[in-house]
Amino acid sequence: MTSNTLPTPARQGAARVIVSVVAVLAVIAAAGCAAWFGYQGYQAYFVQKPIQDARDGAVDGAEQAILNVTTVDPKDTADWKRRVDSSLTGKAKEQISGQDVSNLNSMITQAGPQAAALSSRLVRSAPTEVDADDGKAQVLVYVAATSKRENEAGVTQTMGFSVSMTKSDDSWKAENIVPLDSLAYEDPGTAAAVPGAGGSAPAPQGGGN
C-alpha cells in the first residue's frame, strides 16, 4: 500500500524550508518597518519640525512687532523706540527714524495733558507663507487699537497688518509692515501718526516688550 505521507526525513526537510522562508520574510518585514519608521522620524525631526519652528517663530515675532509698534506711552516715547528697534529690521526699521520720534515728541508736547496713550490687544494672526530654509515668512496680524486720554473713555478700532518676517541672529524680526486697509487712526488729542503703521497706533495684551 502506497502512503501519502512523506518519510520522516522528508517532512523534517520541508519544515526546515518553511521555517527558513518565514525567517527571511520576518527579516524583510523588520527591515521595511525600520525603514518606514526611520523615514517618518526623519520627516518629523528634519522636515516638519523646522517648518513648525519657523511658523511659530515668525508668528510670535510678527505679533510682538505689531504690539510694540502700536504701544505708545506719551510720557515715555524713548521706551517705545527701544521696543520698536528690538523687533524690526531692514525697511521697517528705517521707516521709523529718530526724526519720526522727534516729531512724535513735538506733537505730544503740543497736545499737553490731552495727549492720548495708545494701546492694543491681539485679535488674531496667521502665517500666509513660511520658508524655513531661507528664514522668510509672511504673517497677517490683527489688533484692536485703543486711544485713551486720562479720565476719558477710550476709542477702539480694529487694525490689520501684513508683516514680512525674516530670521536674523536666531530671532524673527519684521522687515516690512503694510496696513491692510486705509483706515488711519487719527487722535485729535495728539494729531500724531505712529510711523510705519499707516496711521496712529495702539498696545498689546500686557503691553509690548
Side-chain angles (χ1 to χ4, degrees), residues 85-139:
D85 286 344
S86 71
S87 55
L88 304 186
T89 189
K91 181 180 178 181
K93 192 171 184 178
E94 293 171 2
Q95 288 174 328
I96 302 180
S97 65
Q99 184 61 45
D100 291 320
V101 177
S102 178
N103 292 340
L104 182 60
N105 285 330
S106 295
M107 294 175 184
I108 290 172
T109 299
Q110 291 174 12
Q114 292 300 307
L118 298 171
S119 64
S120 68
R121 62 180 177 80
L122 181 67
V123 175
R124 63 183 181 275
S125 63
T128 57
E129 297 178 24
V130 177
D131 186 337
D133 293 334
D134 290 339
K136 300 287 185 180
Q138 198 76 23
V139 182

Side-chain angles (χ1 to χ4, degrees), residues 13-106:
R16 282 197 295 272
V17 170
I18 293 173
V19 170
S20 297
V21 171
V22 170
V24 170
L25 292 176
V27 170
I28 293 174
C33 288
W36 187 84
F37 283 115
Y39 172 76
Q40 292 299 316
Y42 179 88
Q43 281 287 106
Y45 192 81
F46 292 102
V47 179
Q48 297 303 322
K49 187 176 186 300
I51 293 175
Q52 185 62 51
D53 289 346
R55 181 183 293 111
D56 293 344
V59 170
D60 290 346
E63 291 174 352
Q64 194 59 61
I66 294 304
L67 292 176
N68 283 340
V69 168
T70 58
T71 302
V72 183
D73 180 352
K75 298 178 181 178
D76 192 357
T77 55
D79 179 64
W80 171 75
K81 185 64 164 62
R82 177 191 63 77
R83 287 184 286 102
V84 165
D85 286 344
S86 71
S87 55
L88 304 186
T89 189
K91 181 180 178 181
K93 192 171 184 178
E94 293 171 2
Q95 288 174 328
I96 302 180
S97 65
Q99 184 61 45
D100 291 320
V101 177
S102 178
N103 292 340
L104 182 60
N105 285 330
S106 295

